[in-house]
Structure formats: structure tokens, C-alpha cells
Amino acid sequence: MDSNIPNFNSSASAMTHAATPRQNKPLDRIYDVFLSHRRENEALVTELNDYIENELHFEAYVDWKDSSSDHLDREHVTAGTANYLRTIMRHSCSLIFVVGENAGESRWTPWALGFFDG
């Protein structure tokens, strides 16, 4: 494991007290966690996503993993992109803001934080 990536096992008890995994999903897809991050932190996000899904048995949303380029084209961001992400966030029970290298340079992560705060 990369020494720059935290060991998520140490914080498992805090995360498991925050929510319980969804056992019976309705027809509409519901995510337990929306992972807000910068794409540049892909290794960290991948490890965190794997831990959330495989160890905690929560369902996490990661845009580049869970949405096709038809819905999210990073090269051509539109109002439709924002609407699509709002829909996903409305179908997410919580948000984890992934703070990695250069996290403060993101335009989208503060927007996601503001959406969840609202």
C-alpha cells in the first residue's frame, strides 16, 4: 500500500456509526456515499471506494466509475452536467469529501459540499 494513502481500517468504527448499509434498494438507485474528489486523486479514491464497498458493504458513487461519458463529459461541462450530478446527490445518503493533493483547486468539490450543506 502507498504510504501516502491512509489506512481506512483505523476509521471503520467512525464510519459504521454514521450510517448503516442499505439492504433493500428501491428501483431507483440509491447510494450510501457520494465521493466528492479530484480526479487527480484517483488512487486514493479507488482505495477508499473499495474499502467502503467491500469492507463496509455500503454503496459509493464515483463519477468516473459509475457514470458513462454520455452523462458526464469532463471536456464539455454543461448545465446538464450539474443537473445530472444534483440528481445523483439527491439519491445519496451522505458525502465524503476526499482531501488529497491539490484538493483546494477543484471547482466541483466545493459545489458538492454546498449542495449537501443546503
Side-chain angles (χ1 to χ4, degrees), residues 3-61:
S3 63
N4 295 324
I5 298 176
N7 180 349
F8 298 111
N9 289 323
S10 64
S11 60
S13 62
M15 291 179 75
T16 56
H17 291 297
T20 55
R22 192 165 312 292
Q23 298 300 322
N24 298 312
K25 295 180 178 73
L27 293 176
D28 287 348
R29 187 153 188 187
I30 301 294
Y31 294 95
D32 297 299
V33 178
F34 181 95
L35 289 176
S36 180
H37 65 283
R38 289 198 70 204
R39 180 67 190 249
E40 288 80 1
N41 297 312
E42 183 175 344
L44 175 61
V45 171
T46 298
E47 186 170 345
L48 177 58
N49 179 72
D50 290 348
Y51 178 76
I52 289 169
E53 292 190 345
N54 298 326
E55 300 297 324
L56 299 178
H57 306 288
F58 292 161
E59 193 159 348
Y61 173 83

Side-chain angles (χ1 to χ4, degrees), residues 72-101:
L72 291 177
D73 181 353
R74 289 176 179 271
E75 302 300 318
H76 302 96
V77 176
T78 66
T81 305
N83 288 334
Y84 177 77
L85 288 173
R86 278 189 205 97
T87 298
I88 296 295
M89 289 187 291
R90 285 186 186 108
H91 288 89
S92 300
C93 299
S94 62
L95 173 136
I96 292 178
F97 176 58
V98 179
V99 179
E101 195 170 317

